[in-house]
């Protein structure tokens, strides 16, 4: 089976991990700030806080934004459940904004309309989480304009978009989002096995993210509330978590970052080649966005049932042909947990329509030209 995504591990990656295993540090040590530095530099961010996974990154970002019981976080249905769950971890409520039919990212007109209504009813979100779906940046300038008008914090979920650019600036540079979160799960752009990171321009948010990553504990005298009793002394000033990344993981991440540009070039080349191989089929190919450069985490086509074969038939036929196609994403508001909170079918029609047609094709550095051709042949056969 050709998988839909796969990590690329080099001898240099193995050597980097090997070196840490022979050193004195296994948990968070010198490799973590080194990894944070490489990601900050590639993204144009000032501060970078590594943590145990992308879900933890969203959680500490929501906590750093001050999200708590009674507050409201909005995200899109077309995302992994973690983008919404981070609010629930904080005791906050979740709302959704529908997606744009073309980009499959947040529909900024729907966001604006919902904000106007929420303002009138006195129930504005304090955090909005736009998701750079498949690696394509959202319309962040308009999101930020609305954030400044309505006073919410923007946490950009860029789990798909490390290395993408929006209006010439790298995702994570902080030009539009207050915080940007990343994931280093093996199918993402670079991997640490499990891992995540939050990027920000704010020294205050950086400090809070570091507290929440490590039990809410500080050794910084400026942050202490009682007094310094000696060199052993630390204070827990918030309720934080153990969301640290290990040095073993960070060394792998830093080594992977050496190949970020190569990975991005390879993904872009494969995406362009899919465009050519699939030209003329009754499909909608992935969107492009004027002024943006996607990181091509996913290559998603839409199989509109009106042209004959349903997405389910095409999916089953391709799996039988040994192609590990997948579907991203089941709309979060239709998950049983969120249905119990009052959401249901028909609430977000664009996300639901998109979901009924979406099909993710294999795309990762190392996918060979021959494998890619066999994906195109299987898809052509499935549509026949
Ligand atoms: C992968 C992913 C996450 C969660 O990341 P983990 O590292 O798996 O916890 C969050 N949001 C999106 C959009 C993702 O794709």
């Amino acid at each position: 089976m050709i998988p839909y995504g796969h990590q690329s591990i080099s001898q240099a990656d193995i050597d980097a991990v090997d070196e840490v295993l022979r050193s004195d540090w296994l948990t968070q040590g010198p490799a973590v700030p080194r990894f944070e530095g490489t990601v900050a530099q590639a993204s144009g961010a000032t501060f970078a806080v590594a943590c145990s996974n992308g879900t933890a990154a969203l959680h500490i970002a929501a906590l750093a934004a001050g999200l708590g019981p009674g507050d409201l976080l909005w995200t899109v249905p077309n995302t992994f459940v973690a983008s919404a769950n981070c609010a629930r971890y904080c005791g906050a409520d979740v709302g959704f904004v529908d997606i744009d039919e073309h980009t499959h990212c947040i529909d900024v007109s729907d966001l604006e309309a919902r904000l106007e209504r929420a303002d009138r009813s006195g129930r504005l979100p304090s955090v909005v989480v736009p998701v750079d779906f498949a690696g394509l940046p959202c319309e962040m300038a308009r999101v930020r304009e609305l954030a400044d008008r309505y006073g919410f914090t923007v946490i950009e979920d860029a789990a798909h978009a490390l290395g993408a650019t929006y209006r010439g600036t790298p995702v994570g540079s902080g030009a539009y989002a207050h915080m940007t979160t990343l994931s280093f799960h093996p199918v993402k752009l670079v991997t640490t096995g499990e891992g995540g990171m939050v990027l920000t321009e704010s020294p205050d948010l950086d400090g809070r993210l570091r507290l929440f990553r490590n039990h809410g504990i500080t050794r910084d005298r400026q942050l202490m509330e009682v007094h310094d009793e000696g060199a052993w002394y630390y204070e827990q000033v918030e309720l934080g978590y153990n969301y640290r990344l290990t040095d073993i993981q960070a060394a792998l991440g830093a080594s992977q970052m050496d190949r970020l540009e190569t990975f991005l070039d390879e993904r872009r080349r494969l995406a362009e080649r899919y465009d050519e191989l699939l030209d003329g089929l009754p499909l909608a190919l992935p969107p492009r966005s004027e002024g943006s450069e996607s990181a091509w985490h996913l290559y998603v086509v839409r199989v509109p049932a009106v042209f004959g074969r349903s997405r389910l038939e095409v999916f089953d036929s391709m799996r039988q042909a040994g192609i590990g196609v997948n579907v991203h994403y089941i709309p979060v508001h239709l998950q049983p947990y969120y249905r119990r909170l009052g959401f249901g079918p028909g609430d977000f029609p664009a996300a639901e329509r998109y979901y009924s047609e979406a099909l993710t094709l294999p795309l990762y550095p190392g996918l060979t030209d021959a494998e890619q051709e066999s994906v195109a042949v299987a898809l052509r056969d499935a549509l026949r």
Side-chain angles (χ1 to χ4, degrees), residues 309 379-384:
R309 293 308 189 92
L379 184 52
R380 197 174 292 274
D381 288 348
L383 286 163
R384 195 169 284 148

Side-chain angles (χ1 to χ4, degrees), residues 321-343:
I323 312 295
V325 286
N326 213 324
V327 173
H328 298 92
Y329 285 99
I330 304 160
V332 178
H333 71 283
L334 297 182
Q335 295 291 353
Y337 175 80
Y338 284 97
R339 288 186 194 224
R340 287 202 292 275
L341 295 175
F343 299 100

Side-chain angles (χ1 to χ4, degrees), residues 94-108:
V94 173
F96 296 96
V97 177
D98 212 347
I99 60 166
D100 179 273
E101 281 282 2
H102 175 67
T103 64
H104 311 143
C105 292
I106 193 166
D107 176 347
V108 189

Side-chain angles (χ1 to χ4, degrees), residues 53-55 58 79-80 82-83 131 157 159-160 183 185 188 195 329:
N53 54 65
T55 304
L58 284 159
T79 186
F80 184 58
S83 314
V131 179
D157 183 342
H160 299 183
S183 164
H185 179 280
K188 305 288 165 73
Y329 285 99

Side-chain angles (χ1 to χ4, degrees), residues 6 59 63 105 107 188 198 223 245 369:
H6 196 269
H59 187 188
L63 289 168
C105 292
D107 176 347
K188 305 288 165 73
V198 188
L223 299 178
L245 191 72
D369 286 2

Side-chain angles (χ1 to χ4, degrees), residues 210-226:
R210 281 169 202 282
L211 269 182
F212 287 118
R213 165 176 77 179
N214 191 29
H215 307 279
I217 283 173
T218 184
R219 290 178 183 275
D220 180 349
R221 285 176 182 210
Q222 306 237 304
L223 299 178
M224 287 185 185
E225 291 172 21
V226 185

